[in-house]
Amino acid sequence: MPPRLLSHAAPVWIVLAELRKRGKRILFEGAQGAMLDVDYGTYPYVTSSNTLGGAAAVGSGVGMNAIGFVLGITKAYTTRVGSGPFPTELHDDIGKELGRIGNEFGTVTGRPRRCGWFDAVLVRQAVKICGITGIALTKLDVLDGFKEIKICIGYKHDGVMYDYLPASGKIQAGVEPIYETMPGWSESTKSARSWAVLPAQAIKYIRRIEELIECQVAMVSTSPKREDTILVRDPFVD
C-alpha cells in the first residue's frame, strides 16, 4: 500500500470503540437494498455481500449491541433496477408515469428503473430481517394527482396465498400481487415540511403503510431537496 494511503489506515474497531466510549454518535450507511442481500435477497439477482442492518456491525467491527436505531429507506412506491422478480411492476402508463415524475434512472448505469405500486410485503420482510426501527418514506410527492393508489398486501401462486416472498426463484417469478386500493389526493405534497400541511388522504396512505409493514414512519421526503423533509422521529434522540 502506498505510504500516502497507509498514513490514513488504522484498526477501525479500535477507533470506533474509543468514539463510543466518548459518547459520540456513529452513523453507518448501507448502499444496497435488503432484497439484494446475498443470503436473504432474490437470489441470483443479488449483490456479492450481506446488505442487512446487522452487516454494519460485522463490517465495521463494533459489537451487535452498538447498533441502536436502524433507519430503513423506501420510496412511497416500489422500484427495481435490472433483472429479478418484481411482483408489483407496472408495464402500463401508470408505471411509465411513476418513472417520469420520479426521474427513475439508475445512479450508476443510467438505466430506467422498473416501477410499481408500494409492496408492503417486501418492505415488511425487510423490516424483520434488518431489525428496522423506523422508515424514511421518500418521494411521496411523486404520487400527487393519482386518483387511486394501490398497495400490495400479499401474493398468490397456484392457489396458495403468501404474506412473504418465498425463497423459491420459480415461485418468486410467478407470484401475483394482491392489492388494496386507496383514494389518491389532488393536492400537492411537493416541498412539504410539516405533517400539518399534508393532504388528509396522504396521511391515511402513510398510516396504512405503517400498519402493513409493522413499523413507524420516522421521516417523510417530499422533494429531491434535503430540507424538504418531515421529521416524525429523530433517530439520534434516545
Side-chain angles (χ1 to χ4, degrees):
M1 181 181 293
R4 184 172 58 180
L5 296 179
L6 191 59
S7 64
H8 297 285
V12 176
W13 68 270
I14 295 178
V15 175
L16 293 177
E18 179 59 31
L19 289 173
R20 289 191 65 219
K21 186 177 180 180
R22 287 158 48 191
K24 297 295 185 179
R25 297 290 190 182
I26 302 172
L27 175 65
F28 300 100
E29 180 183 4
Q32 300 281 6
M35 290 301 114
L36 295 180
D37 185 86
V38 67
D39 292 320
Y40 292 92
T42 52
Y43 187 86
Y45 306 99
V46 295
T47 189
S48 59
S49 60
N50 291 112
T51 63
L52 308 184
V58 178
S60 65
V62 301
M64 289 186 296
N65 64 344
I67 305 298
F69 195 101
V70 180
L71 182 68
I73 302 174
T74 185
K75 296 170 187 172
Y77 51 99
T78 301
T79 64
R80 180 164 191 155
V81 174
S83 302
F86 187 173
T88 67
E89 183 176 9
L90 296 171
H91 300 281
D92 56 12
D93 291 340
I94 293 178
K96 294 177 182 177
E97 189 72 354
L98 288 172
R100 183 189 67 79
I101 300 173
N103 193 30
E104 295 294 350
F105 298 93
T107 305
V108 177
T109 64
R111 288 181 296 176
R113 294 192 182 99
R114 300 153 65 192
C115 298
W117 294 120
F118 187 87
D119 192 332
V121 181
L122 280 187
V123 177
R124 181 173 62 244
Q125 190 163 322
V127 166
K128 303 300 183 185
I129 62 180
C130 289
I132 291 172
T133 314
I135 288 289
L137 190 68
T138 68
K139 294 193 171 185
L140 180 68
D141 56 299
V142 173
L143 297 180
D144 292 352
F146 285 92
K147 292 183 179 180
E148 290 185 339
I149 297 174
K150 295 183 179 182
I151 304 175
C152 177
I153 60 172
Y155 307 130
K156 58 183 177 180
H157 182 268
D158 282 347
V160 180
M161 312 294 281
Y162 295 92
D163 61 358
Y164 65 97
L165 186 65
S168 165
K170 181 179 180 180
I171 296 178
Q172 287 180 356
V175 294
E176 297 179 31
I178 302 169
Y179 285 120
E180 178 177 297
T181 302
M182 299 184 65
W185 55 89
S186 57
E187 306 95 321
S188 174
T189 65
K190 190 172 181 61
S191 301
R193 301 182 186 180
S194 168
W195 192 261
V197 302
L198 289 179
Q201 198 55 50
I203 294 176
K204 290 179 181 179
Y205 179 68
I206 296 170
R207 292 305 188 203
R208 184 57 180 148
I209 284 176
E210 288 180 320
E211 292 174 355
L212 290 169
I213 68 174
E214 300 176 11
C215 186
Q216 180 189 29
V217 170
M219 58 183 68
V220 180
S221 173
T222 58
S223 94
K225 296 180 180 179
R226 182 176 298 181
E227 58 269 24
D228 291 337
T229 301
I230 301 171
L231 187 63
V232 181
R233 178 182 176 186
D234 189 341
F236 290 103
V237 174
D238 294 326

